[in-house]
Amino acid sequence: MLVDSTVILDVATEDAAWGAWSADRLAALADEAVFLINPLVYAEVSIGFRRVEEVEDALPGDLFKRTALPYEAAFLAGKCFVDYRRRGGARTSPLPDFYIGAHAAVGEFRLLTRDATRYRTYFPSVELIAPE
């Protein structure tokens, strides 16, 4: 199961609105899933920390397994970004969500996120674990 940075940051920052939901989902899924992160998730989480050691403490390797982003996922992310632009999207380069969603799609991973709108739109084959 790929874990989106939103979930990790909710827990790390004790987010008042989403911290409990994210912590509960991680706890509930811990026995049945291997939690995966990729370099984009790592980068997004790292923004809130000053040192790499702090990021490593927040993302312990025994809980969050590191996985590379496959080239096939990068290709799919690019195609979904083109679709986004055709629909009127204003960003000029692919957003991390495109890479994360494409990684989940190509790897046939479930995706734990609390921000599911873009994933539902561009990656309908991905099984999302998200708030209603």
Side-chain angles (χ1 to χ4, degrees), residues 33-67:
V34 174
F35 296 137
L36 303 171
I37 60 170
N38 64 28
L40 292 148
V41 171
Y42 190 97
E44 288 185 315
V45 171
S46 75
I47 292 169
F49 298 91
R50 295 181 57 149
R51 299 175 35 241
V52 70
E53 294 83 5
E54 294 170 352
V55 181
E56 288 296 317
D57 287 344
L59 298 169
D62 60 333
L63 182 58
F64 295 101
K65 305 292 181 202
R66 276 71 168 154
T67 184

Side-chain angles (χ1 to χ4, degrees), residues 41-108:
V41 171
Y42 190 97
E44 288 185 315
V45 171
S46 75
I47 292 169
F49 298 91
R50 295 181 57 149
R51 299 175 35 241
V52 70
E53 294 83 5
E54 294 170 352
V55 181
E56 288 296 317
D57 287 344
L59 298 169
D62 60 333
L63 182 58
F64 295 101
K65 305 292 181 202
R66 276 71 168 154
T67 184
L69 181 74
Y71 282 91
E72 295 86 357
F75 179 83
L76 179 57
K79 296 304 171 200
C80 290
F81 177 71
V82 169
D83 187 31
Y84 160 83
R85 292 286 293 174
R86 285 188 185 131
R87 294 177 186 215
R91 302 292 176 109
T92 58
S93 62
L95 303 167
D97 287 353
F98 286 108
Y99 293 102
I100 294 165
H103 191 180
V106 168
E108 298 181 352

